[in-house]
Amino acid sequence: MTRVSLISSSAELRDRLQPLTGSTAFSPAGGTGDPASLLAQFTGLPPEVLIMDCRADANGKLALAAVLIETYPATGVLLVSDRPGDLALPAMRVGVQDILPPYATLAEFGDAVEAVASATRNRVAQLTEVPAEVTRVVPAGQVVSVMSPKGGVGKTTVATNIAVGLAQRAPGSTVIVDLDVQFGDVASGLDLEPHHFLADVVHGAARYDAVVMKTFLTQHKSGLYAICAPNVPSDADKITADDISHLLHGLAAEFRYVVIDTAPGMSETTLAALDATTDLILLSSMDVPGIRGLRKELDTIRELELTLDSRRVVLNFADHKGLLSVADVEATIGTRVDLALPRSKAALTSVNQGIPLLQSGVRDPLTKHLRNLVDRIATPTRPGRTVESPVAGAKPSPQPASRWQLFKKKGTVAA
Ligand SMILES: Nc1ncnc2c1ncn2[C@@H]1O[C@H](COP(=O)(O)OP(=O)(O)OP(=O)(O)O)[C@@H](O)[C@H]1O
Ligand SMILES: [Mg+2]
């Protein structure tokens, strides 16, 4: 059945069209000023057909319809007007597919909705069946992932600081993605109040259109963009590893730096991120369980034969109070430790305030080490990569089998 929604201030019209729209009829009072917040009112996928009653503020509604049609190619628009003759030409110019008078019967609305839905599906099919030569080869951004086998070791602290540090170098071209899909706290670490979340970016029209995707990003003061974890943990179930592969491929084509915060361990989602990663930061605390976990994670990464540009082992909470030294850790994991981050009181204040150290610039040894890490990341060790990016509105060509899929086949990853 076609997903139909209605925006109308008329209770009579909302009631009459209820058999078509179900519970997705709204009064325009609820913040419909821009297409993203308008579509955010609809739970689940965006409507295939949006009926907009433009008896009041016809010009405003037409302008909104124009932006909506441009940015959400999978949603067709049908207008309701008591002067369809006057509106026909401007409506046609912006791509509205039909106009009905308010007194049209339910059956007439039903027929018009089906015609609009069918025309929209054809248009989307044309957009998504773009031959390979219509893709363009663009420089690929660096994808920096912060991972650890154990929780609470400072991944979010490091990821948010790196992201802010990179955004200071490339404002408007750095994005952080919170892949701790159940309990992510990037939003709180950056003091953000997102209106849109990871699920909005990986599903619906945003999946196929970079312009639409960008309307769902949350902006931070530093010029950083953020894709925050779902605000309801159960929404995490709707996000697959394939969604993540697709998203990261698209982001790498659009942004100079993509920074990823992850959940502890190696879920399918984390492996999908690993597959797209150019710069890996493996983080651990300096205790025996943490270091053992780190060794296992390093073994797994070696087995995956990833083509990383850099892989850095970073120890956190490094101080002289623990029993282990950096040399002990290196002997256990069989590789060099690249950086040891000191324990710092400023970290706790920073997380409580939602202001990363590199944003406040507070003078502290940890701030200095984090800045040093940003400098190293921003000095790439390999020549720039490229990535195939679809032209606007086109569906990217299928990705080759990801390592997480191969890994899953080997039975190493829990489904
Ligand atoms: N170097 C440090 N010195 C002092 N406190 C720190 C340091 N690094 C992180 N912290 C604090 O440790 C706590 C855990 O950090 P954080 O949330 O970044 O870890 P995480 O690995 O993301 O945790 P989770 O696995 O639960 O997502 C936070 O309160 C943070 O402020
Ligand atoms: Mg975290």
Side-chain angles (χ1 to χ4, degrees), residues 151-157 159 178 180 183-186 261-264:
V153 299
K155 290 180 298 300
T156 305
T157 305
D178 193 347
D180 186 351
F183 301 111
D185 45 16
V186 164
D261 185 21
T262 60

Side-chain angles (χ1 to χ4, degrees), residues 148 150-158 180 183 185 261-264 283 316-318 341-349 351-352 366:
S148 76
K150 306 278 178 192
V153 299
K155 290 180 298 300
T156 305
T157 305
V158 170
D180 186 351
F183 301 111
D185 45 16
D261 185 21
T262 60
L283 199 61
N316 196 10
F317 306 108
L341 300 174
R343 193 181 291 273
S344 147
K345 280 190 187 141
L348 202 56
T349 318
V351 81
N352 287 338
L366 182 56

Side-chain angles (χ1 to χ4, degrees), residues 78-166:
L78 168 64
L79 298 186
V80 177
S81 169
D82 38 19
R83 46 183 187 93
D86 294 353
L87 272 191
L89 197 56
M92 192 186 75
R93 283 198 183 117
V94 302
V96 167
Q97 281 151 325
D98 207 347
I99 309 180
L100 284 184
Y103 49 80
T105 62
L106 181 63
E108 285 168 332
F109 269 103
D111 289 348
V113 158
E114 285 316 314
V116 170
S118 154
T120 306
R121 278 185 210 118
N122 288 341
R123 193 180 58 192
V124 170
Q126 278 171 8
L127 280 175
T128 53
E129 281 165 17
V130 177
E133 60 266 29
V134 186
T135 59
R136 59 199 165 112
V137 175
V138 296
Q142 282 174 251
V143 180
V144 186
S145 295
V146 183
M147 297 184 182
S148 76
K150 306 278 178 192
V153 299
K155 290 180 298 300
T156 305
T157 305
V158 170
T160 48
N161 274 286
I162 289 175
V164 165
L166 291 171

Side-chain angles (χ1 to χ4, degrees), residues 4-8 13-14 17 21 24-26 50-53:
V4 187
S5 295
L6 166 70
I7 297 287
S8 173
L13 191 66
R14 294 202 302 270
L17 298 192
T21 62
T24 57
F26 298 92
L50 179 64
I51 307 174
M52 290 177 79
D53 185 350

